[in-house]
Structures are given as C-alpha cells and as structure tokens.
Amino acid sequence: MPTNLSNLGISVKLLFSGYLMVIAIGYAMAMVQILFTHGMADGKFGLSIEDVVYSYYGNRSGSPLESKLNGSMKANAPDDVRFKIIQWVRDGADKGAYDTEIKSLVDTHCVACHNAEAGGLPDFSKFDNLEKYTRSDEGATFASLTRVSHIHLFGIAFIFMFVGGIFSLSSGVPLKLKASAIIMPYIFLIMDITSWWLTKLNPHFALLVIVGGGGLAMAFVFMWVVSMYEMWVLPTRLPFPDRRDAIRRN
C-alpha cells in the first residue's frame, strides 16, 4: 500500500493528530500572549505597526516604565496611581520625591510581582532598579534580541520540522504548492527574526515583522488543515484506498 496520510494506521493517525492539536493550542496561546504584550505597547488592545515600533525601536519620547503603565501594565494600578508615577518619571524621577511620594505606591501596586524572587521580572523594591526604567525608551535591548532570537530559531524550526514532516505525507496537494508550503515557514521565520533587528535600528522595517509573523501563521494553518483533512475526512469520501505515494512522488 502506498504511503500517505489517508492510508496510515489508526494509532499513527492518533499520534500525529494529538501532536497537531497540542501545537495548535500552543500557537493560539502564543497569539494571545502577543496581544497582551506587544499588542498593548501603544496602550491600545490589538497589534499594530505602532506596537511593533514601540516594542523593538522604542518610544523615544517616553520611558519603558511609562510605556508599560500605559500598555500591558495598565490594569494593574488605578488611573490616579499610574498618572502620579508617570508624572514623577516626566519630572526627572527625583530620588527625594520617590522616597516621600512614589515608593509607597510602587510597594503597594508593583512589588508584589516585581521583587527579588520574581525571576524574569525586574526588582522594583530597590530604587536603582526602578530608575533604570525611567530613562528614554529605546525598545528591546540587543542582549534581549539575541536571547529571544536564538530561542525562536531553534524552537520554531523544531516545531515546523514535525508539522512539515506530517504534511509531507499528504497526497492531494500539487507538488509545487506542497514544496512551497514546507519551505515557506523557514523563510518567514528568518524574515521575522531579521526584521526584529532591522526595526531596532530603523522603525520603517516594522511592517516586515507583521509580514513574517503572518506568513508563519498562514503556512502553519494550511499544513495543519490539509494534514487533518487527509487523515480523517478524505478516507470517508474516497470509494477506494488512496493509492498515491506521498514519499516517492516527483
């Protein structure tokens, strides 16, 4: 029997389907995370060009602390508290004013999460740590871009190795389209990562970030849908077993 998704045994189909379902849920959670992090960079819900610019190039007219208080951290403190901290930042983040007026607000609304035991979050229980985030917002640092870039390159390439491997067993997709769908995630991944660095240097490259991320999502959805269809729907619609060989097909 030729090898293709339609002819696989039930145990292999369940194995592949379970993986694809979990990866799809993970992908959806990643999209939600982007909406609540980068998507709130300009203070408005929903991903936009401005969000990308603020995340990577920065909002050079403001500070990271102000951007966060107007963005992803907006719901964590009352408006009057946020406005008071922002005004303190704009007035120069004076140490004396911090001790008399701001420290109690930070301790009440921020330190519960931003403390020495918080792990990846900055420790705002100390003035020196907080003061670093009151300076001009220059977006992501080169160190953070390096760390996130190598994680994404390894992780996403690994995911698409398996998604593409399952999709490569499809038999009903024209060869050129099939080959394009398999290689496009890697092209869009490189475009996405490269555009982060370019946007860090020049905000005009921000559109490439959205194009790269959108291309990745489109390739994933296409391969996911085709794979699930050929495993579970196609066999019920064919009057005979699919005799097309997906592996040796030229």
Side-chain angles (χ1 to χ4, degrees):
M1 182 73 69
T3 302
N4 57 51
L5 290 174
S6 177
N7 291 332
L8 294 176
I10 188 68
S11 59
V12 179
K13 286 184 179 180
L14 290 173
L15 173 66
F16 286 175
S17 298
Y19 172 79
L20 290 174
M21 290 295 296
V22 171
I23 288 297
I25 295 171
Y27 211 120
M29 292 298 101
M31 296 299 100
V32 172
Q33 183 193 27
I34 289 174
L35 287 177
F36 282 103
T37 52
H38 295 316
M40 290 293 293
D42 63 354
K44 303 174 184 177
F45 186 77
L47 190 64
S48 65
I49 295 294
E50 289 75 18
D51 289 316
V52 176
V53 171
Y54 290 166
S55 296
Y56 296 103
Y57 181 77
N59 180 4
R60 303 297 171 93
S61 63
S63 65
L65 185 58
E66 181 175 345
S67 296
K68 286 294 185 181
L69 287 172
N70 284 328
S72 57
M73 296 292 108
K74 189 173 183 177
N76 293 344
D79 288 345
D80 58 329
V81 172
R82 293 190 303 103
F83 294 155
K84 194 165 187 178
I85 295 175
I86 289 172
Q87 190 59 53
W88 168 72
V89 172
R90 293 179 177 179
D91 290 340
D94 178 70
K95 178 67 164 62
Y98 169 80
D99 291 334
T100 57
E101 301 177 23
I102 304 301
K103 186 178 187 302
S104 59
L105 301 178
V106 173
D107 289 343
T108 300
H109 299 282
C110 307
V111 172
C113 295
H114 290 271
N115 53 64
E117 289 77 35
L121 296 176
D123 179 12
F124 285 170
S125 63
K126 298 179 180 179
F127 171 77
D128 289 343
N129 294 337
L130 179 65
E131 192 271 337
K132 295 176 183 177
Y133 291 86
T134 65
R135 303 166 190 171
S136 177
D137 181 6
E138 296 187 356
T141 64
F142 286 108
S144 66
L145 281 178
T146 301
R147 175 176 55 82
V148 176
S149 293
H150 94 267
I151 292 174
H152 276 71
L153 285 168
F154 287 146
I156 296 179
F158 195 68
I159 288 172
F160 276 102
M161 178 68 179
F162 286 99
V163 174
I166 295 172
F167 173 75
S168 68
L169 297 177
S170 62
S171 59
V173 180
L175 182 58
K176 290 184 179 180
L177 178 58
K178 182 177 179 180
S180 298
I182 289 174
I183 196 62
M184 289 310 286
Y186 303 103
I187 294 174
F188 281 119
L189 175 59
I190 293 173
M191 177 190 294
D192 190 31
I193 303 298
T194 301
S195 63
W196 299 352
W197 291 83
L198 293 174
T199 304
K200 170 64 180 176
L201 300 174
N202 190 314
H204 292 101
F205 289 101
L207 181 60
L208 283 179
V209 177
I210 295 179
V211 172
L216 271 173
M218 290 175 60
F220 176 80
V221 170
F222 177 73
M223 290 193 288
W224 192 94
V225 170
V226 169
S227 298
M228 295 295 282
Y229 174 84
E230 291 205 8
M231 280 191 288
W232 300 107
V233 180
L234 183 61
T236 66
R237 297 195 171 188
L238 292 176
F240 46 80
D242 188 349
R243 299 187 180 281
R244 294 169 292 185
D245 196 316
I247 294 180
R248 297 175 181 83
R249 182 175 165 205
N250 293 317

